[in-house]
Amino acid sequence: MLKLHNLSKVYRTDEVETAALNSVNIEIESGEFVAIMGPSGCGKSTLLNIIGMLDSPSSGDYIFMGENVAPYGEAKLSNIRKQHIGFIFQSFNLIDELSVEENIELALLYHNIPASERRERVAHVMDKVGIAHRAKHMPSQLSGGQQQRVAVARAVVGDQAMILADEPTGNLDSAHGQEVMEMLQSLNEEGTTIVMVTHSPAHADYARRTINLFDGHVVTENLRAAV
Amino acid sequence: MFENYFLTAIRSIGKNRLFSAINIFGLAVGLMAALLILLYARFELSYDQFWKNSDRLYRVDMTFRTGSNPLAKENFVSGRVQDAYLSYFGDKIEAATRLRYLGATVRQDADARGETLTWADPDTLKIFQFDVIKGDLERAFEDKSSLAVSEKFAERWFKGADPIGKVLTVSTFNLKRDYQIVALYRDLPENSMVSDLEALALMDEEAFAEPQWLLRNWGSTSVAQFLLLKDGVDVGEINAQTPAMLDKFIEVPSGTGSDHYAYSASLFGDFYSHWVSFDEMSTARKVYVLLAIAVVLVLIGAINFVNLATARAIRRTREVALRKVLGARRPQLIVQFLLESYIITILAILMAIVFLELALPYFSSFLDKPLAINYADPVYWGVLGTIVIFVGGLAGFYPAFAISGSRPGRILLANKSSESRGAVFLRQVLVTFQFAISITLIVAAIVIYFQTWYVLHLDPGYDRENLLVVEGINRPEMEARMIPFREAVSRLPEVKALTISSETPSDGNNNFTSIGLTTNPADHMVIGELWLDDNFFDVYGIPVIAGRAFDESIEGDLHIKGRQEMEVLPELRMMINENAVYRFGFASPQDAVDQVVYWYDKTPIRIIGVVADARTQSLTSPQGPESYRLFAEYGSSLTVRYTGSPSNLIEKLERTWKEFAPFTPLVYSFVDEASANEFEQEVHMSAVLSFFSMLAVVIACMGLYGLAAFTAERRTKEIGIRKVMGASVTDIVRLLVWQFSKPVLVANLIAWPIAITAMLAWLESFPYRIDTWILLPLCIVAGAIALTIAWVTVGGNAARVARSNPVEALRYE
Ligand SMILES: Nc1ncnc2c1ncn2[C@@H]1O[C@H](COP(=O)(O)OP(=O)(O)OP(=O)(O)O)[C@@H](O)[C@H]1O
Ligand SMILES: [Mg+2]
């Protein structure tokens, strides 16, 4: 699905240069479930943002579905992104002024999909994540777990091949965290590629492979023994 | 404690520079305009309020009533009405005076100039208070050869030397006499209708007996008439009995005095602001329109302030919640917010005063009024204080009470700073209101501009170009030599053609008589009366459409003087305009030719020709009927159609004039300029309105910019999310711009009907007006202007926000 080759990211702020990623080589197959772990500040979010094309690498190649997207500009990246990649964030990132339904629909809004089809697909995913009875509610009226379910629904409603999740369980208690992990697992079983950043070893266990980052380097890659 | 509040407030104002700048500047500009209008309004409404007995001081006006069509009122009246008032209402009148303004040649040794002097009755001193600098003002009214002069007059003639005792030779009509200066008085205040009293002399009935129109004619507008009523006299009663008084004193050949004239007294203090001669807007109404604009401008600035303050306050809900958790009490928070808001308002007022002082010189000269801020005047401080309390309170109120009253738990728990839908809605309403006002003002400015342009470029029915008018050829020193003067001028090479007439199209005909199809006065109508020579229609290029034109060589065309003394009234001849044809009731111009009609004294007049309507009367009133008589002797102006450069012509004219009247200056005007001057008021009004509507739009857009910046900031997270979801820069800009287009679009829907109604009413007062359907496209144009400005204002900021990297927005919560 994607391949990072000698990929580096350097942040320059005033006089300080931070190498958030340093010659990272990673390959992720289609249909995989990968967890990324590491201490705070080691570059996990940076890596995920680059994979999600929200940010561009400073050097190195990023081959996505056979195309080197590293040199692409924002508009092109945006096009690839909206077709293939869905996002889940730690802090949910729902729009406060929009209802649950409208928040999910947002992921289809910029895809030239007719309104009737959009409504159908939104209804379908809401059923799937069990949030249909809250369709008209505003995010502020939901619990954290429910909000994250809305975010998951939003990430999958566009039928994207890959979902990137940055600490999706970070703001949730363990019961709700588990719930979200199970949702991700079942999505993976349906064929969606999932890349997830987490601090919880237990949640990393849901993934087939764990990549450990330290100071911008990949230190180890563990493959979980097939069950 | 207070110092701490104060510091916090100043710091907060400094930290939010954009919002503070928009608030202070917008409010300051609005306030500046408002103060300016206030100054102007106070000046205009202060006219003649300061006379000692202003509550019972009246000025008299007159209306010609002959026939069926009402005519313009005149503020100058017959010189004979004072005697009538005094003998009819003697016990009710304390003092009465006439002011007879008259041009005269004034000479001192070799120095001779034209001056306007005023001959007045002795009661003048009981009615008006003069500030005598030197000499004895009473003495000026003791004999007919004493003169009291103003500082300005004295300065002009004696350049600082003592004027008392100096002798000036005055000649006008049958009066020619030496006057000795006996008193010097301070110039009258500019906010008075009699501020132009520069030289005063005792009324001289004998000297002014001839010509009759100077004083003795009931049908002439000769003097300004003032009455000081006794304490407790009801002016309504006097006005009610005036027709009976006129019946008693006016002798007319047919009917009664009150059939022909109406007189009415009204408070002199109201005269300047309320008196109108026709349908035009009174000064007071103009002032009220401007005052309304002033209120509106302050309102627009204040709305910015309220909008930005409330919008910003939302951002501060978390700050407030934290402060409360840390132990701040509600009253302290209220004081804090109100203080901030009051400091901003006060800064705005200070800035407004600075702006005003900078702008005043320009406005004073533009409006031709000596406007100045009087810092000792409590009214200004009262208005400023009210504005501070009102605007500052309004803007501080919402944050102070609504937010300080919120419970900290909810806000911190929800971990967000979302606004209630009510607050958002209120802000939309206010923005809509601002733009509705701005659009209305834009429409008004454009319509006034178009209307003025239209009237100025209206085909007047005669050829306005290359016409010069020499005025006052009937002055006493010229009158006898009028015809030789015309001959002399006609020999100048620049002169193509020339004509003498009693009125010229550009000065608006003010001379009327009454004529009817029968000798019965009930059938008579008021008709304009012009005396002219037989070149008039050729020179002005007015076509004859039926019958023939006058010809001095045809016997009987010329008017016959002194008909009253003849045994049988002779038949006279006249030409009329097309309008008169239909007013008389003839079916067509051809039908009118050769018909006989009757003058007010039953003299028969034969109509020999009809000319097309030319706009010879004021363009501000509808064109009426006109009658033309062949008799150059009654003329007062010489119109010259010239070729080549007017400056050459003027030079030669000056020389020729000097030969005939060495002591009187040549007075001339160009016809095209004179007709443009008639619309000076409208041109001014349009400029003033354009200026203020531009200000309104600018202030409203500044507010919009602030709101857009604020919203974009508040929505960065949302914008980030949308971008992650695939929205392009264009999508985001469209989203933000659309959000701000909605109130502007709604504002159009509100503004259009208001603007159209108001402008239709305004256009009503013009007999010649632009097609009213044009209002709708003008509204659309104004709406488009407002929308474009709003887009530009919001768009730039939106594009910047939309281009930023979404990761930045989402990284920190
Ligand atoms: N926009 C930026 N500008 C400058 N430095 C940045 C920026 N974003 C990240 N960094 C730096 O890059 C490094 C990696 O940051 P990153 O957010 O990827 O860490 P992380 O592994 O996600 O940490 P955490 O577990 O706390 O989320 C850090 O040192 C951080 O300070
Ligand atoms: Mg991170």
Side-chain angles (χ1 to χ4, degrees):
Chain A
M1 173 120 220
L2 66 89
K3 194 174 161 184
L4 307 180
H5 183 67
N6 267 343
L7 189 125
S8 298
K9 176 76 187 176
V10 181
Y11 285 113
R12 283 185 191 86
T13 46
D14 298 332
E15 283 115 51
V16 196
E17 271 195 13
T18 320
L21 294 175
N22 207 338
S23 293
V24 173
N25 290 294
I26 294 175
E27 197 170 344
I28 295 174
E29 299 290 336
S30 205
E32 260 197 297
F33 190 155
V34 178
I36 300 174
M37 294 191 76
S40 189
C42 70
K44 306 182 294 294
S45 295
T46 307
L47 178 62
L48 209 64
N49 286 340
I50 289 174
I51 294 177
M53 301 176 205
L54 294 175
D55 216 341
S56 305
S58 309
S59 66
D61 295 328
Y62 173 16
I63 320 287
F64 184 81
M65 297 176 88
E67 248 180 294
N68 186 4
V69 299
Y72 283 7
E74 201 193 309
K76 245 176 169 176
L77 290 176
S78 164
N79 253 332
I80 302 175
R81 178 173 70 229
K82 73 180 176 194
Q83 277 172 39
H84 301 288
I85 307 172
F87 290 88
I88 301 170
F89 301 94
Q90 172 178 359
S91 50
F92 325 133
N93 277 336
L94 301 178
I95 296 176
D96 298 327
E97 286 79 13
L98 300 182
S99 68
V100 164
E101 217 173 21
E102 290 161 342
N103 262 294
I104 299 173
E105 194 185 0
L106 208 58
L108 302 174
L109 211 54
Y110 303 103
H111 288 243
N112 281 330
I113 295 171
S116 57
E117 192 191 330
R118 288 207 300 260
R119 236 169 290 129
E120 230 167 76
R121 285 169 71 170
V122 168
H124 180 243
V125 287
M126 282 197 300
D127 266 342
K128 202 160 141 188
V129 301
I131 202 79
H133 59 296
R134 299 283 195 164
K136 302 276 182 234
H137 286 211
M138 306 306 281
S140 58
Q141 297 167 311
L142 302 180
S143 74
Q146 287 166 330
Q147 289 190 43
Q148 197 59 303
R149 268 192 271 165
V150 175
V152 171
R154 187 180 60 186
V156 303
V157 70
D159 272 339
Q160 277 88 351
M162 178 164 78
I163 287 180
L164 304 180
D166 195 346
E167 300 184 44
T169 56
N171 278 6
L172 300 177
D173 62 33
S174 57
H176 281 116
Q178 183 122 0
E179 207 173 72
V180 168
M181 288 315 300
E182 273 156 20
M183 259 186 300
L184 290 178
Q185 190 172 39
S186 71
L187 280 171
N188 178 245
E189 278 158 12
E190 285 164 26
T192 309
T193 312
I194 292 178
V195 182
M196 173 184 77
V197 170
T198 184
H199 283 289
S200 153
H203 291 165
D205 278 349
Y206 282 86
R208 192 144 6 109
R209 179 154 65 111
T210 303
I211 297 172
N212 286 298
L213 279 185
F214 187 78
D215 244 0
H217 294 277
V218 177
V219 279
T220 49
E221 285 195 47
N222 311 337
L223 223 70
R224 183 159 59 94
V227 187
Chain B
M1 190 65 201
F2 186 78
E3 202 182 299
N4 178 28
Y5 282 146
F6 195 75
L7 280 178
T8 320
I10 295 283
R11 212 171 294 139
S12 159
I13 291 169
K15 211 168 63 194
N16 298 284
R17 251 174 242 117
L18 175 67
F19 299 110
S20 306
I22 290 175
N23 280 337
I24 295 173
F25 188 73
L27 204 52
V29 172
L31 283 171
M32 190 261 310
L35 289 174
L36 187 67
I37 291 172
L38 190 70
L39 280 177
Y40 175 71
R42 295 253 300 157
F43 184 82
E44 289 291 87
L45 298 181
S46 72
Y47 266 70
D48 295 309
Q49 304 295 316
F50 52 84
W51 301 110
K52 204 161 89 199
N53 296 310
S54 61
D55 57 326
R56 49 200 179 91
L57 174 56
Y58 292 85
R59 181 168 176 175
V60 173
D61 68 23
M62 164 177 82
T63 311
F64 290 103
R65 280 181 47 125
T66 321
S68 45
N69 49 337
L71 264 180
K73 273 194 286 182
E74 301 286 346
N75 55 2
F76 279 77
V77 302
S78 166
R80 293 180 66 182
V81 79
Q82 174 162 295
D83 285 344
Y85 269 110
L86 284 174
S87 78
Y88 206 81
F89 301 107
D91 51 333
K92 292 182 172 149
I93 296 171
E94 189 175 309
T97 189
R98 297 166 291 175
L99 301 181
R100 167 77 249 187
Y101 294 85
L102 196 59
T105 306
V106 177
R107 214 169 310 166
Q108 188 199 32
D109 306 326
D111 187 4
R113 305 175 213 177
E115 288 280 2
T116 297
L117 273 54
T118 309
W119 281 266
D121 294 309
D123 275 0
T124 303
L125 298 181
K126 292 191 196 146
I127 290 177
F128 301 114
Q129 293 76 50
F130 290 86
D131 192 352
V132 180
I133 301 171
K134 234 178 196 169
D136 179 3
L137 198 54
E138 308 258 328
R139 265 203 58 200
F141 291 96
E142 277 167 13
D143 58 59
K144 288 177 178 168
S145 57
S146 297
L147 196 64
V149 299
S150 72
E151 278 176 299
K152 232 187 249 165
F153 186 95
E155 180 56 34
R156 212 162 42 232
W157 279 86
F158 310 112
K159 314 242 165 358
D162 186 358
I164 305 294
K166 293 268 180 6
V167 174
L168 297 174
T169 308
V170 173
S171 55
T172 177
F173 295 95
N174 296 328
L175 184 149
K176 185 163 188 216
R177 185 181 304 152
D178 284 350
Y179 275 88
Q180 186 178 38
I181 296 176
V182 295
L184 171 70
Y185 56 87
R186 219 171 279 294
D187 292 332
L188 289 168
E190 295 216 42
N191 54 347
S192 169
M193 292 188 83
V194 293
S195 65
D196 50 1
L197 284 183
E198 295 199 340
L200 269 173
L202 180 62
M203 185 66 84
D204 190 335
E205 298 269 357
E206 294 94 79
F208 292 152
E210 278 295 326
Q212 294 232 332
W213 59 263
L214 278 179
L215 224 46
R216 312 222 39 84
N217 194 358
W218 278 103
S220 297
T221 52
S222 310
V223 301
Q225 176 69 57
F226 296 92
L227 301 175
L228 182 63
L229 299 187
K230 286 198 173 132
D231 249 338
V233 174
D234 176 16
V235 71
E237 218 171 284
I238 290 190
N239 282 337
Q241 293 174 37
T242 304
M245 173 191 90
L246 298 175
D247 289 346
K248 185 173 167 199
F249 288 92
I250 304 179
E251 294 147 33
V252 281
S254 55
T256 63
S258 58
D259 286 342
H260 288 71
Y261 305 101
Y263 273 82
S264 153
S266 46
L267 261 188
F268 186 41
D270 289 345
F271 216 80
Y272 178 79
S273 54
H274 293 289
W275 194 85
V276 292
S277 109
F278 201 67
D279 262 352
E280 72 263 22
M281 229 193 226
S282 71
T283 305
R285 267 185 66 196
K286 260 179 259 166
V287 165
Y288 296 144
V289 168
L290 283 173
L291 281 177
I293 294 177
V295 171
V296 153
L297 283 170
V298 174
L299 217 56
I300 292 182
I303 287 177
N304 277 353
F305 194 1
V306 173
N307 269 350
L308 293 179
T310 55
R312 207 162 60 80
I314 307 307
R315 214 169 40 158
R316 296 174 71 174
T317 45
R318 277 180 64 81
E319 171 200 330
V320 169
L322 275 169
R323 276 175 190 251
K324 282 188 130 183
V325 169
L326 295 178
R329 280 177 307 111
R330 193 171 175 205
Q332 293 172 340
L333 292 169
I334 292 178
V335 169
Q336 186 68 59
F337 278 113
L338 282 177
L339 190 67
E340 255 176 58
S341 151
Y342 278 120
I343 290 178
I344 289 191
T345 316
I346 289 168
L347 286 177
I349 287 210
L350 293 179
M351 201 180 209
I353 292 176
V354 173
F355 284 173
L356 184 61
E357 285 288 2
L358 292 175
L360 258 187
Y362 301 99
F363 271 97
S364 300
S365 71
F366 178 72
L367 297 170
D368 204 17
K369 305 277 169 185
L371 302 181
I373 311 178
N374 177 4
Y375 288 99
D377 189 339
V379 170
Y380 297 121
W381 296 114
V383 169
L384 291 181
T386 312
I387 291 174
V388 169
I389 291 170
F390 185 71
V391 175
L394 206 65
F397 182 83
Y398 180 82
F401 291 89
I403 296 176
S404 68
S406 60
R407 271 166 296 146
R410 278 189 58 86
I411 291 168
L412 292 179
L413 213 99
N415 190 21
K416 69 186 198 65
S417 43
S418 176
E419 281 183 275
S420 73
R421 299 214 158 190
V424 178
F425 182 71
L426 175 73
R427 208 151 47 231
Q428 298 269 33
V429 168
L430 291 177
V431 170
T432 307
F433 179 66
Q434 279 184 316
F435 273 88
I437 292 170
S438 304
I439 293 165
T440 310
L441 285 176
I442 297 176
V443 173
I446 307 182
V447 170
I448 292 177
Y449 177 82
F450 269 38
Q451 170 65 22
T452 311
W453 190 93
Y454 173 78
V455 185
L456 287 179
H457 293 81
L458 196 68
D459 176 12
Y462 64 91
D463 182 2
R464 234 183 327 221
E465 308 299 318
N466 291 346
L467 285 180
L468 178 142
V469 177
V470 177
E471 281 155 22
I473 57 168
N474 60 339
R475 299 183 72 110
E477 59 275 30
M478 271 299 277
E479 204 180 4
R481 281 171 288 181
M482 205 188 274
I483 305 297
F485 177 66
R486 182 180 66 182
E487 300 316 313
V489 173
S490 72
R491 284 192 294 271
L492 298 177
E494 285 84 1
V495 175
K496 266 170 59 182
L498 77 180
T499 178
I500 285 177
S501 58
S502 61
E503 320 282 327
T504 60
S506 57
D507 60 19
N509 189 4
N510 279 322
N511 193 21
F512 297 92
T513 186
S514 68
I515 298 178
L517 288 182
T518 68
T519 50
N520 178 3
D523 293 340
H524 281 205
M525 70 172 185
V526 174
I527 184 167
E529 183 184 50
L530 274 81
W531 302 91
L532 29 88
D533 65 21
D534 57 2
N535 285 323
F536 183 83
F537 300 111
D538 272 353
V539 170
Y540 277 96
I542 301 172
V544 177
I545 54 175
R548 64 174 178 85
F550 283 128
D551 188 339
E552 272 167 22
S553 60
I554 295 179
E555 186 169 332
D557 272 10
L558 210 63
H559 174 68
I560 300 162
K561 246 175 142 176
R563 65 188 181 284
Q564 275 94 350
E565 280 85 60
M566 300 179 181
E567 264 163 46
V568 194
L569 286 171
E571 189 182 275
L572 303 174
R573 290 182 186 167
M574 73 173 181
M575 292 173 70
I576 55 175
N577 68 348
E578 201 179 345
N579 185 287
V581 168
Y582 302 111
R583 291 292 192 90
F584 277 128
F586 299 119
S588 73
Q590 277 70 28
D591 285 350
V593 174
D594 233 25
Q595 297 292 329
V596 173
V597 291
Y598 298 91
W599 214 352
Y600 64 92
D601 60 355
K602 301 191 169 95
T603 311
I605 312 176
R606 188 173 295 277
I607 299 168
I608 61 159
V610 178
V611 291
D613 281 343
R615 315 228 182 277
T616 52
Q617 297 171 2
S618 167
L619 286 171
T620 52
S621 52
Q623 175 65 38
E626 300 256 279
S627 65
Y628 309 97
R629 311 293 190 76
L630 187 63
F631 202 59
E633 264 184 55
Y634 286 172
S636 62
S637 321
L638 178 72
T639 307
V640 173
R641 181 167 291 283
Y642 62 89
T643 50
S645 116
S647 57
N648 274 343
L649 172 67
I650 289 165
E651 203 177 298
K652 286 178 191 162
L653 274 177
E654 296 258 18
R655 225 176 296 143
T656 315
W657 177 269
K658 271 252 143 61
E659 288 164 23
F660 285 81
F663 300 119
T664 319
L666 171 75
V667 180
Y668 63 88
S669 63
F670 291 94
V671 170
D672 47 355
E673 278 175 17
S675 35
N677 284 344
E678 200 188 340
F679 286 90
E680 213 183 338
Q681 265 195 5
E682 275 72 21
V683 172
H684 263 192
M685 195 70 175
S686 139
V688 168
L689 256 188
S690 312
F691 177 75
F692 286 127
S693 55
M694 203 184 68
L695 275 189
V697 177
V698 167
I699 304 174
C701 279
M702 278 178 8
L704 199 63
Y705 180 82
L707 271 189
F710 169 78
T711 309
E713 180 193 301
R714 201 168 56 82
R715 292 176 80 173
T716 38
K717 184 184 121 187
E718 174 191 340
I719 291 165
I721 296 171
R722 285 182 187 269
K723 285 190 81 175
V724 170
M725 295 300 142
S728 64
V729 173
T730 332
D731 291 327
I732 302 292
V733 171
R734 202 181 300 141
L735 180 79
L736 289 175
V737 166
W738 172 237
Q739 184 194 359
F740 286 99
S741 302
K742 266 187 291 184
V744 179
L745 289 176
V746 176
N748 273 307
L749 296 185
I750 297 170
W752 291 2
I754 295 173
I756 289 180
T757 317
M759 291 334 283
L760 280 179
W762 181 76
L763 285 174
E764 277 290 294
S765 67
F766 290 89
Y768 308 106
R769 49 180 177 258
I770 47 176
D771 290 329
T772 41
W773 60 261
I774 207 165
L775 287 176
L776 194 63
L778 284 185
C779 279
I780 295 173
V781 168
I785 292 174
L787 198 61
T788 312
I789 296 176
W791 276 348
V792 171
T793 310
V794 177
N797 193 45
R800 189 175 54 77
V801 174
R803 264 197 300 273
S804 62
N805 189 339
V807 178
E808 300 290 326
L810 300 180
R811 229 159 71 104
Y812 307 103
E813 272 297 280

